[in-house]
Amino acid sequence: MSVDEDDVGWEVDSDDESSAIAELIGRQIKRWREAAGLRAVEFGERMGYGENLIHKVERGARIPRPEFLDRADEVLHADGHLGALKPDAERARYPKKVRDLAKLEEQAVELCAYNNSVIHGLLQIPEYAQAVIGNRRPPFPQDELDQRVAARMARRAVLDRAAAQPVFSFVQCESTLRRRLGGTMVMRAQLEHLLEVGKLRNVDLQVLPLDLEENAGLEGPLRLLKLKDGSTLGHVEVQLTSRMISNPKDLQILEMRYGIIRAQALTPRESRAFIEKVREET
């Protein structure tokens, strides 16, 4: 039987947490298979996969997709136990850096972000994210590119969190609105998405125009996360480096810079009109 391994699940990231989760899921599947009295080859036939792929899942070399877990639950009469592992499988499929950042975003009561290179990740549409991540050199393999785009889209759920919604403040340099990553149609759709996100009551979206004589954001993107426990963390990302900042003196500098950037930017209402203008010009 010839089946693409991506149809079964995702490769396991090299960090310990992903490996541990994948191995735990694999052991559970194997335990239910053996309890059902099925050999791996028989289980594979009922699932529609080859024996080798079943072994890869059971030893934790592949993270099974949600549909695989649902089907396994049905075939092995696991009464929902295997289907209940879907959130764990979803979490384990993403790179550790993405998981760590997503956890912090979920804990935040306020998130502030400035970007002068691309649209902020939480504001990106899939096609734009594909273009941004796809521009990386050396390029990611296609499966890793797809994985990273999916991870970025999953993080967007924090914007729609019904309970205890955090407050968001985004400042985008005008250059990010005019850089047509992905082409004209993708960029136009991205600008339209920004206009929709800007309508959310817990989101302030501002634009920092290029024609300003002063700009406090020249040193690059920055992010501030104010957490439920009252602490604040900073995050900066440059070439080959992604770093969390917790030193009080450094945080003070980042907060000062962001405050100035936000004051220099157009108001949210002015920014909306500006984005509409750029969209019409795109």
Side-chain angles (χ1 to χ4, degrees):
M1 179 181 296
S2 177
V3 178
D4 190 332
E5 291 191 11
D6 288 340
D7 291 336
V8 178
W10 305 280
E11 288 187 7
V12 180
D13 198 48
S14 58
D15 68 273
D16 292 341
E17 184 181 358
S18 275
S19 297
I21 293 174
E23 289 170 5
L24 174 63
I25 293 173
R27 286 197 300 271
Q28 288 293 313
I29 293 172
K30 184 176 182 180
R31 183 174 70 84
W32 282 97
R33 173 179 64 76
E34 291 176 341
L38 294 177
R39 293 178 297 143
V41 64
E42 295 170 329
F43 177 47
E45 288 173 354
R46 298 191 186 188
M47 291 287 293
Y49 301 121
E51 180 182 5
N52 184 51
L53 294 182
I54 297 300
H55 284 309
K56 284 189 174 183
V57 171
E58 291 188 345
R59 69 170 183 266
R62 302 288 296 182
I63 301 168
R65 290 182 178 275
E67 53 269 27
F68 181 98
L69 290 169
D70 284 336
R71 176 61 179 158
D73 207 299
E74 179 182 342
V75 168
L76 300 176
H77 305 290
D79 298 323
H81 288 85
L82 295 179
L85 296 173
K86 287 187 289 186
D88 297 304
E90 188 73 11
R91 188 173 73 252
R93 66 179 287 205
Y94 302 133
K96 185 177 187 301
K97 182 182 76 172
V98 175
R99 295 199 310 270
D100 290 345
L101 191 54
K103 287 178 184 177
L104 288 173
E105 288 169 347
E106 289 174 358
Q107 297 171 24
V109 295
E110 183 177 359
L111 186 150
C112 305
Y114 167 71
N115 207 307
N116 61 355
S117 58
V118 297
I119 303 297
H120 188 275
L122 292 178
L123 301 174
Q124 293 178 9
I125 61 173
E127 296 82 2
Y128 182 88
Q130 183 91 11
V132 170
I133 300 172
N135 265 289
R136 188 253 202 189
R137 293 296 180 271
F140 291 115
Q142 187 62 47
D143 59 344
E144 186 172 356
L145 172 60
D146 294 341
Q147 183 187 54
R148 287 176 178 268
V149 171
R152 185 161 296 180
M153 293 303 100
R155 281 175 47 215
R156 294 197 316 177
V158 72
L159 283 168
D160 303 319
R161 204 163 68 203
Q165 274 192 331
V167 174
F168 296 91
S169 169
F170 298 102
V171 180
Q172 292 289 152
C173 178
E174 178 187 343
S175 61
T176 66
L177 308 180
R178 297 191 180 277
R179 188 170 291 122
R180 299 188 183 187
L181 295 175
T184 298
M185 297 307 296
V186 168
M187 198 62 217
R188 188 176 179 85
Q190 176 63 67
L191 293 171
E192 290 172 352
H193 180 68
L194 291 182
L195 292 171
E196 289 302 312
V197 173
K199 295 177 183 178
L200 298 175
R201 295 181 61 190
N202 61 324
V203 174
D204 280 336
L205 178 57
Q206 296 175 257
V207 175
L208 188 65
L210 284 170
D211 61 4
L212 291 177
E213 293 184 8
E214 298 178 336
N215 184 327
L218 294 179
E219 292 196 38
L222 67 92
R223 185 178 328 197
L224 291 165
L225 299 107
K226 300 184 180 182
L227 308 181
K228 295 175 183 177
D229 63 4
S231 63
T232 298
L233 288 174
H235 179 253
V236 294
E237 202 163 18
V238 294
Q239 296 281 344
L240 304 178
T241 303
S242 176
R243 185 164 71 95
M244 299 304 303
I245 296 173
S246 58
N247 180 281
K249 290 184 178 179
D250 292 338
L251 284 172
Q252 188 176 43
I253 292 173
L254 289 183
E255 289 186 293
M256 176 190 67
R257 285 181 184 171
Y258 189 76
I260 297 173
I261 289 169
R262 194 171 184 184
Q264 291 172 334
L266 301 174
T267 68
R269 178 171 294 184
E270 292 169 339
S271 297
R272 179 176 179 83
F274 191 95
I275 295 171
E276 288 175 341
K277 178 175 179 292
V278 175
R279 180 191 60 182
E280 294 308 312
E281 296 171 354
T282 301

